[in-house]
Amino acid sequence: MKPEIYIKDLGNYVGKEVTLQGWLYNKRSSGKVKFLILRDGTGYLQCVVFKGNVSPEVFEISDKITQESSFAVTGKVKEEPRAPGGYELDAFDVKLISLSRDYPITPKEHGIEFLIDHRHLWVRSKKQVAILKVRHRIVKAIRDFFDERGFTLFDPPIITPNASEGTSTLFEMEYFDLGKAYLTQSGQLYAEAGALALGKVYTFGPTFRAEKSKTRRHLTEFWMVEPEMAFYDLDDDMDLAEEFIEYIVQTVLADRRAELEILGRDISKLEKIKRPFPRISYDEGVEILKKKGADFTWGDDFGGADETLISEDFEKPVMIHRYPAAVKAFYMKRDPENDKLALAVDVLAPEGYGEIIGGSQREDDLDVLLERIKEHNLPQEYFEWYLDLRRYGSVPHSGFGLGLERTVGWICGLEHVRETIPFPRMIYRNTP
Ligand code: 4AD
Ligand code: MG
């Protein structure tokens, strides 16, 4: 039953007879010839059904077969430079597996709401298949990058008793007799325990934010990879982030160029993503905004529009460091040169894609961290385990989190993150 041959392997079968299985992507006819475009998840293949080469029944099936019907086709593989993929099939048998009736997504334009309502079918379309293949390659690049550099994968819990990034954006649940529990916003605090056990670790999994942000950059469920390294300061952290982003982009360029071309991505822009990346301070970021006439007060966090204004000046990701501590998380270490600043870094993608990385050096002093927990009105009893990391062999350490969907959106050149994940979750949508 299972296919012996997939479209991507046809190069090895030129002149041979093969049977392929899949779905009808599209169909054209011209008199005595039917052109069936088969898709099998690995590629697209034009199958030429010539009336003189097949039985009347097979020709009839080739005439009646509809978009997204499943079928098997047998024929001889031919080199055809003009065909997408470079090969064509001279078919002599077509077997219908299941006829698809009134497939809702037709080649005409559909509205975005209609498409997301049909996301379970929309993922079959050429552009969506290309995006999902790029996403997969990015996931593998992320794992390879850390695995090859001595990091250990360290899986944090999804159900947590407290917030790591601020209490306002938590998804809450009742947890048996123990009261409220929350879906994780970030694996970082746990990764810190891992770094003090294993030196260099990374977490990689889904995280949840009940943010009321209805923007093209926000999902309520998204994937984040979070490396955490003992004995790294902020500069070491930025060096790693820079090497990491270059690696991801250059790997996708090398391995998924065909998909990027399907997506119409301007590849020359991605070719420029090579180290070193520009590094500017928050203060310098504010200067850029002021020069451009933006209405911005020192001390605020950069919003999406501010990020776009700043990153416009650069062709590469820009690393902005040393933010006002007041707008950043409780665990960030203060700048010894200026107590109002946190040793934080955000990396903004070029072309207006906004923040893809947020990171920092962590506060490693027990007393200072205790004070921060009080200032932020966090319940100290829940953080006792986290404070233990400062009681027993505390060391300088740093890390960052990269949002997978924003990275996929940028590399694919998409308008909105909703197309970067198989089933997007947003404030106004949790189906299909
Ligand atoms: O800047 P954030 O909130 O950082 C953290 O969670 C830290 N604990 C990371 C760390 O230091 N280990 O989130 C990190 C990244 C953002 O830069 C962004 O790419 C992505 O996660 N992100 C989102 N992506 C999609 N939808 C959302 N609602 C997102 N919120 C954050
Ligand atoms: Mg952030």
Side-chain angles (χ1 to χ4, degrees):
M1 184 65 206
K2 78 173 186 225
E4 309 243 295
I5 295 165
Y6 290 94
I7 293 171
K8 70 170 172 48
D9 303 320
L10 284 181
N12 303 327
Y13 294 90
V14 177
K16 303 225 168 78
E17 186 188 314
V18 299
T19 297
L20 295 143
Q21 304 181 86
W23 299 264
L24 188 79
Y25 187 68
N26 213 336
K27 188 174 76 174
R28 286 185 298 121
S29 6
S30 101
K32 292 186 163 69
V33 200
K34 306 281 170 204
F35 299 95
L36 310 183
I37 313 297
L38 174 80
R39 61 162 195 90
D40 72 349
T42 75
Y44 302 83
L45 175 67
Q46 173 157 289
C47 307
V48 184
V49 186
F50 184 62
K51 199 168 186 174
N53 288 350
V54 298
S55 70
E57 294 74 34
V58 167
F59 198 71
E60 166 91 8
I61 292 171
S62 307
D63 185 45
K64 294 273 153 64
I65 191 166
T66 52
Q67 189 192 351
E68 286 305 318
S69 292
S70 47
F71 69 107
V73 56
T74 303
K76 199 166 162 187
V77 182
K78 238 178 56 183
E79 231 157 340
E80 174 49 77
R82 283 165 305 173
Y87 304 97
E88 201 175 69
L89 196 76
D90 259 334
F92 40 82
D93 194 19
V94 176
K95 285 201 174 70
L96 187 64
I97 299 170
S98 175
L99 190 72
S100 156
R101 283 171 226 279
D102 303 323
Y103 187 69
I105 303 177
T106 58
K108 70 163 197 195
E109 286 276 310
H110 294 284
I112 186 69
E113 287 306 314
F114 178 88
L115 288 171
I116 312 191
D117 281 340
H118 294 87
R119 184 64 177 162
H120 49 293
L121 302 176
W122 188 26
V123 288
R124 299 181 187 191
S125 69
K126 202 176 213 162
K127 187 175 158 203
Q128 299 305 315
V129 166
I131 294 168
L132 293 172
K133 285 188 187 264
V134 172
R135 178 185 168 104
H136 175 216
R137 191 63 192 87
I138 292 174
V139 168
K140 182 168 154 45
I142 287 171
R143 292 191 184 284
D144 289 346
F145 180 85
F146 291 117
D147 293 349
E148 286 162 11
R149 283 166 183 74
F151 285 71
T152 301
L153 179 67
F154 189 78
D155 299 313
I158 301 262
I159 299 173
T160 61
N162 56 258
S164 50
E165 296 302 312
T167 46
S168 60
T169 63
L170 290 167
F171 283 107
E172 228 177 72
M173 69 178 109
E174 286 304 322
Y175 195 81
F176 305 105
D177 296 335
L178 299 180
K180 295 211 184 311
Y182 308 91
L183 291 180
T184 186
Q185 301 165 302
S186 155
Q188 179 200 318
L189 304 190
Y190 297 97
E192 289 182 52
L196 271 59
L198 294 148
K200 296 193 287 185
V201 297
Y202 67 104
T203 72
F204 194 10
T207 51
F208 306 85
R209 305 260 170 114
E211 270 168 298
K212 295 245 160 54
S213 307
K214 195 179 159 181
T215 81
R216 62 196 194 90
R217 297 172 184 170
H218 286 88
L219 295 168
T220 54
E221 176 179 332
F222 64 97
W223 280 59
M224 190 169 20
V225 54
E226 296 182 271
E228 189 73 31
M229 298 75 64
F231 305 106
Y232 270 50
D233 65 13
L234 183 65
D235 284 336
D236 299 323
D237 204 29
M238 291 198 278
D239 291 345
L240 185 75
E242 185 180 61
E243 188 186 354
F244 181 47
I245 293 173
E246 176 188 287
Y247 179 87
I248 294 174
V249 172
Q250 296 308 320
T251 303
V252 173
L253 273 178
D255 286 3
R256 291 294 176 272
R257 196 170 276 260
E259 282 74 13
L260 294 176
E261 276 162 9
I262 288 171
L263 296 168
R265 184 68 168 103
D266 181 348
I267 284 170
S268 68
K269 293 227 160 74
L270 297 176
E271 279 168 343
K272 295 188 178 129
I273 310 304
K274 295 256 175 77
R275 284 174 288 170
F277 297 165
R279 296 180 187 196
I280 64 171
S281 65
Y282 170 88
D283 287 2
E284 289 169 307
V286 174
E287 281 305 305
I288 294 177
L289 289 178
K290 292 242 159 92
K291 264 198 208 112
K292 295 190 171 184
D295 176 24
F296 188 87
T297 323
W298 194 99
D300 290 349
D301 204 356
F302 298 133
D306 304 316
E307 289 178 355
T308 303
L309 277 176
I310 296 171
S311 62
E312 268 172 9
D313 282 11
F314 305 95
E315 289 185 321
K316 299 182 191 185
V318 54
M319 315 181 85
I320 307 182
H321 54 83
R322 293 178 172 77
Y323 281 72
V327 298
K328 290 290 182 187
F330 77 95
Y331 52 70
M332 293 186 181
K333 193 174 179 64
R334 296 291 167 96
D335 185 352
E337 314 266 296
N338 179 350
D339 196 48
K340 285 203 165 45
L341 300 178
L343 293 177
V345 59
D346 278 3
V347 183
L348 310 185
E351 302 174 69
Y353 280 92
E355 181 197 326
I356 50 169
I357 280 184
S360 67
Q361 185 168 337
R362 320 307 188 187
E363 183 49 71
D364 50 11
D365 181 273
L366 176 64
D367 296 326
V368 178
L369 188 58
L370 264 168
E371 209 164 293
R372 299 275 176 266
I373 287 176
K374 288 196 190 103
E375 275 167 24
H376 285 253
N377 289 320
L378 296 167
Q380 190 186 320
E381 64 276 18
Y382 288 130
F383 288 93
E384 284 302 334
W385 71 266
Y386 185 63
L387 290 162
D388 272 354
L389 307 178
R390 279 72 184 168
R391 290 187 183 109
Y392 307 110
S394 187
V395 296
H397 62 290
S398 301
F400 61 80
L402 170 123
L404 176 62
E405 288 74 18
R406 288 192 192 172
T407 304
V408 175
W410 162 47
I411 292 177
C412 290
L414 306 177
E415 273 295 300
H416 196 296
V417 286
R418 66 193 158 209
E419 287 181 57
T420 63
I421 186 164
F423 292 95
R425 295 290 174 255
M426 294 164 281
I427 46 175
Y428 50 92
R429 175 178 292 275
N430 59 6
T431 55

